[in-house]
Amino acid sequence: MPTAPAVTPAPRFLDLHVLQALPYNNVNRDDLGSPKVLTFGGVTRTRVSSQAWKRPVRLAVEESIGEKALRTRRLPEQVFRELAQRGWPEDLAAMAGAQVIRSTETKLALEKGDRTTASLLFLPDSAASALADIAEEHRDVLAKALGKAAAAKPLLPKDALHQILRSRNGSIALFGRMLAEIPGAGVDGAVQVAHAFTTHATSVQADFFTAVDDVNQWAEDAGSAHMNTGEFSTGVFYRYATLDLRDLASNVAALTGPQDGTAPPTDAAYLRDAATLRDLATAFATAFLGTVPGAKKTSTAPHTHPDLVYIAVRPDRPLSLAAAFEEPVRAREHGWGLPSRQALSEYATRINRLLGTTELPYAAHAGLDDKPLTGLGAAASSYPALIAGAVDIAYPAAAAANA
């Protein structure tokens, strides 16, 4: 009997694996100012938290797609300032800022003289202006209640406020949002980012420094005006993130499609969403490869790029290759970089063989090595080409439309 043709499984996860050397740095400090660490494989490694790397990635994504989102507790104050700029009296504008929270009739609480919320909100940067527009429409109601007991009661339309607080954009579709107080406002993030850590053992290095007082150089007691010690580290970091393609598609469909679910998406809407997904995936992958946390940047400038990037589009589940470095890499005459790249390639070969997923929808790498690393799929000519190849596989409809 003829053998049925193999069915290529649909792409589900876009895995990003990065090896990156950081010189003398402290891009992520603990509460005492020391580089963050973890113990893995019985040795101490330098660590950079996912939060520390995710923020510059998010800001770079927003710069790329032209859509910003703001994480803040100062939404009432934002609305107050927006209305004050429109010519509202300050007392009425302040009341309106509090009302955009009070009138939601939820557990969202106000603090600090009704200028901040107890919870941190994550909204498109247009949200404050849209909420101010609602206040404008009900200015007479707010003015009548000013200075009276009625000012403590909800005065603005709850449903209109909820609609603004549920709004999202591309940044929120990628990174998600926790807002349990507003029904339907929570968004499961499509991006998952691991804590980065060095592939080898590290130790903290102290730096004694002084600052000179430029005015007192001629004084009898001239000398250092300030002395202190900073702590830094160096190393080759393994960084990992995965993009859930299905979750991102769901988030984008909710962003761009019919909200009541009564109308099926048209071909034009499908291609529009596919193009949006492609743009978001490309922006995220590019930002993840090209950013470094900014702590201590003025005194260390650790602005490196990755030595190696491996991207795999997987059909089943995400797969971190962190276990490749459970046994710490040992430096050779060429340092930690080369053995780290070889360890990643060797581990990927073994784990894919065990999982039976050697034939992935997409697996490729780009990096410093002259020879391809056979365990990491095909060799791409550059990081942009590597990303483009993965996104083409992840979103074939958009790729075909762009062809």
Side-chain angles (χ1 to χ4, degrees):
M1 295 180 62
T3 303
V7 177
T8 303
R12 174 66 196 278
F13 296 97
L14 193 155
D15 283 352
L16 296 159
H17 308 268
V18 174
L19 289 176
Q20 183 168 356
L22 291 183
Y24 200 65
N25 78 91
N26 188 353
V27 297
N28 187 207
R29 290 168 277 181
D30 64 16
D31 57 336
L32 300 177
S34 300
K36 289 185 177 179
V37 298
L38 82 161
T39 301
F40 187 44
V43 300
T44 300
R45 326 282 187 102
T46 301
R47 173 175 62 92
V48 179
S49 71
S50 58
Q51 305 94 308
W53 223 304
K54 192 184 296 185
R55 178 174 169 78
V57 169
R58 175 172 67 84
L59 295 179
V61 166
E62 292 174 354
E63 182 74 20
S64 175
I65 66 176
E67 296 178 2
K68 292 185 177 181
L70 300 178
R71 195 181 304 276
T72 184
R73 294 173 56 198
R74 300 181 181 275
L75 184 61
E77 185 166 350
Q78 282 184 285
V79 174
F80 158 73
R81 293 184 181 278
E82 174 72 22
L83 292 172
Q85 289 178 357
R86 298 184 188 185
W88 281 43
E90 287 196 358
D91 55 353
L92 185 59
M95 175 189 169
Q99 276 292 325
V100 300
I101 301 300
R102 186 168 286 124
S103 296
T104 62
E105 299 184 54
T106 65
K107 293 182 180 179
L108 278 176
L110 289 162
E111 294 183 343
K112 296 183 179 179
D114 293 348
R115 292 296 183 93
T116 66
T117 56
S119 303
L120 197 63
L121 305 177
F122 187 37
L123 299 168
D125 65 346
S126 60
S129 179
L131 292 169
D133 290 342
I134 295 175
E136 285 270 22
E137 295 171 5
H138 299 82
R139 179 169 179 169
D140 291 344
V141 175
L142 296 172
K144 289 179 181 178
L146 183 64
K148 300 177 183 177
K153 299 179 181 179
L155 299 172
L156 298 176
K158 178 178 70 174
D159 291 344
L161 297 175
H162 282 208
Q163 184 176 357
I164 301 301
L165 296 176
R166 283 195 297 263
S167 64
R168 62 183 76 177
N169 59 13
S171 179
I172 295 171
L174 276 170
F175 296 98
R177 174 176 62 202
M178 179 62 181
L179 186 55
E181 293 85 351
I182 304 295
V187 179
D188 290 334
V191 166
Q192 302 169 36
V193 180
H195 289 232
F197 63 90
T198 53
T199 62
H200 49 86
T202 60
S203 59
V204 172
Q205 303 169 40
D207 174 45
F208 173 76
F209 65 91
T210 66
V212 175
D213 187 325
D214 291 334
V215 173
N216 287 333
Q217 290 187 40
W218 56 82
E220 293 182 0
D221 59 349
S224 173
H226 175 75
M227 295 184 293
N228 207 337
T229 300
E231 295 185 334
F232 300 86
S233 182
T234 64
V236 173
F237 286 80
Y238 171 70
R239 302 169 49 210
Y240 169 73
T242 187
L243 175 62
D244 189 320
L245 303 174
R246 186 183 301 172
D247 282 356
L248 183 59
S250 176
N251 290 348
V252 168
L255 172 66
T256 64
Q259 299 301 307
D260 57 8
T262 56
T266 63
D267 290 344
Y270 177 74
L271 290 176
R272 178 195 62 210
D273 282 2
T276 300
L277 291 167
R278 181 186 177 87
D279 290 345
L280 290 175
T282 301
F284 170 70
T286 302
F288 187 70
L289 270 58
T291 56
V292 175
K296 293 284 186 179
K297 66 180 181 180
T298 58
S299 56
T300 61
H303 302 303
T304 61
H305 274 278
D307 301 333
L308 172 69
V309 176
Y310 167 50
I311 300 182
V313 176
R314 308 189 69 88
D316 46 6
R317 51 153 287 177
L319 177 64
S320 167
L321 301 180
F325 307 108
E326 194 272 339
E327 179 181 347
V329 168
R330 300 189 183 279
R332 304 173 187 172
E333 63 272 16
H334 300 296
W336 288 306
L338 180 59
S340 294
R341 298 193 293 274
Q342 292 173 339
L344 187 70
S345 176
E346 293 166 3
Y347 181 81
T349 299
R350 293 195 298 271
I351 195 66
N352 280 328
R353 182 174 63 245
L354 285 173
L355 295 174
T357 54
T358 53
E359 296 299 326
L360 297 172
Y362 181 82
H365 69 282
L368 298 177
D369 298 282
D370 294 329
K371 296 181 179 180
L373 296 165
T374 56
L376 304 180
S381 59
S382 65
Y383 293 148
L386 180 67
I387 293 170
V391 174
D392 283 347
I393 295 299
Y395 301 112
N402 290 336

